[in-house]
Amino acid sequence: MTADARGTDLFLEMLAAERAAAPNTLAAYTADLTSCEESLAAQGESLLNATAAGLADWMADMGRSGQSRRTVARRLSCIRQFYLFLLREGMRQDNPAAHLDAPRPEASLPHFLSESEVVSLIDACAVSPDASEAKQRRGLVARAALELLYASGLRISELLALPREALAGERQMLVVRGKGGRERLVPLSDSAREAAQALHALDAQKGSPYLFPGRDPKRPLTRQAFDKILYEVGLQAGLDPARLSPHVLRHSFATHLLAHGADLRALQMLLGHADIATTQIYTHVQTERLKQAVESYHPLAADQAARAEKTG
């Protein structure tokens, strides 16, 4: 094993052991390290003996190849953590990534549905009593999932990992295990609990440990299977399926709470954000909506638009 390989292996092992990094996260970090390693190799350097100039050239290469600023920033974050790890472990005496500047990420506001669109989406889960047992169960799965996603702001991975007993009895709070193994409590609406309990009762004979079992009851419903359900419900509700995703429902949950006066710190706890800066994106959403409201309804704005139309 080369020194570079040993260094990266130890770094990835640390992420898995100390930070409970998920397999997808480890795969992304591996790809980031490989990208850097290949660029450095073309310059006659390696990860362990990289210079600040070599890393700067790697970043320039990413820019020239058309990679987004978000991707460049994420990869730089990985490399910074890597060299801090090497420094801590005594595998390097300096940090060549210390003074590299990350590009400003593209400003993008989260997509969300209106409150009426969410209601239409949930109402579209209703199935005729004359429908087949399979269709009735599919409708219950869709309703329970959508109610929980919108009522609690769960990530799809958190939803599908919910144990069967998560909503046993009359529990008013849901224990959710989020990123990094961090647990949080989120309140449940009555309608979300009732929808989940209806599914719970229907699947009583499956013996699955999951609230949302897949075809194999020993495994949870897959993300791909849920996406198909969401696609069908979206069509039934008259919504463009391209606008729909589990994360759009999470964004809708946060945006609507904030619009009705929720505290930003409370919203951070409900969403499971480690840093409140992540939650603050929703204040920008509110600002944009207020701006649009003024432009649409303020009499001076209307007069200005009319004058512009006349002069045009």
Side-chain angles (χ1 to χ4, degrees):
M1 179 183 293
T2 65
D4 273 9
R6 179 171 175 271
T8 55
D9 283 352
L10 289 173
F11 175 62
L12 295 171
E13 287 173 9
M14 178 276 293
L15 292 175
E18 297 182 13
R19 304 185 190 176
N24 287 347
T25 301
L26 294 175
Y29 273 61
T30 300
D32 296 342
L33 290 166
T34 300
S35 167
C36 185
E37 184 177 28
E38 290 175 349
S39 175
L40 290 170
Q43 304 172 58
E45 297 183 11
S46 67
L47 283 172
L48 286 190
N49 68 17
T51 64
L55 293 177
D57 284 345
W58 165 62
M59 291 189 64
D61 286 344
M62 287 192 287
R64 285 191 291 269
S65 65
Q67 295 188 36
S68 70
R69 285 179 286 175
R70 187 179 297 274
T71 298
V72 174
R74 192 205 70 230
R75 289 191 159 175
L76 177 57
S77 174
C78 166
I79 291 302
R80 281 175 171 165
Q81 293 179 63
F82 176 67
Y83 284 110
L84 284 174
F85 170 77
L86 295 185
L87 195 61
R88 188 182 73 188
E89 296 297 313
M91 299 177 73
R92 277 197 69 124
Q93 301 305 311
D94 64 336
N95 181 358
H99 301 294
L100 294 176
D101 293 326
R104 292 175 62 87
E106 297 95 335
S108 60
L109 296 179
H111 301 290
F112 59 93
L113 302 176
S114 69
E115 294 180 34
S116 61
E117 286 175 328
V118 174
V119 171
S120 297
L121 195 63
I122 293 174
D123 287 346
C125 299
V127 177
S128 167
D130 299 329
S132 67
E133 184 178 333
K135 283 189 176 180
Q136 289 191 27
R137 182 183 180 279
R138 199 171 179 85
L140 279 178
V141 170
R143 185 177 188 93
L146 294 180
E147 288 267 16
L148 284 169
L149 286 171
Y150 180 61
S152 306
L154 300 180
R155 301 177 178 93
I156 186 60
S157 58
E158 295 168 345
L159 177 84
L160 299 181
L162 285 175
R164 177 173 167 74
E165 300 306 317
L167 297 175
E170 296 299 320
R171 295 179 185 176
Q172 302 296 314
M173 303 291 284
L174 189 64
V175 179
V176 180
R177 184 179 293 275
K179 288 185 176 181
R182 295 186 297 270
E183 288 189 347
R184 69 184 189 277
L185 285 172
V186 295
L188 283 170
S189 67
D190 291 340
S191 59
R193 185 172 61 255
E194 289 167 5
Q197 286 176 338
L199 178 63
H200 185 282
L202 183 67
D203 285 343
Q205 304 303 317
K206 287 182 177 288
S208 173
Y210 297 101
L211 180 61
F212 293 93
R215 288 186 178 180
D216 178 357
K218 295 179 181 179
R219 297 179 179 275
L221 185 73
T222 65
R223 168 67 186 269
Q224 292 75 18
F226 177 76
D227 285 344
K228 291 180 181 178
I229 293 174
L230 184 57
Y231 181 90
E232 292 173 2
V233 173
L235 290 178
Q236 189 70 22
L239 298 176
D240 181 359
R243 296 179 58 216
L244 302 177
S245 74
H247 225 63
V248 165
L249 285 166
R250 177 172 161 89
H251 290 323
S252 302
F253 161 83
T255 303
H256 297 166
L257 273 185
L258 207 57
H260 287 278
D263 175 75
L264 195 64
R265 184 69 67 178
L267 185 58
Q268 176 194 3
M269 295 175 65
L270 290 171
L271 292 171
H273 288 159
D275 188 342
I276 198 169
T278 308
T279 318
Q280 285 174 333
I281 184 66
Y282 296 106
T283 63
H284 298 306
V285 173
Q286 291 303 104
T287 300
E288 186 63 25
R289 291 180 71 184
L290 290 172
K291 179 182 174 184
Q292 290 174 359
V294 170
E295 291 176 349
S296 299
Y297 303 114
H298 195 282
L300 292 181
D303 289 344
Q304 185 177 358
R307 286 195 298 271
E309 191 171 320
K310 287 180 180 179
T311 57

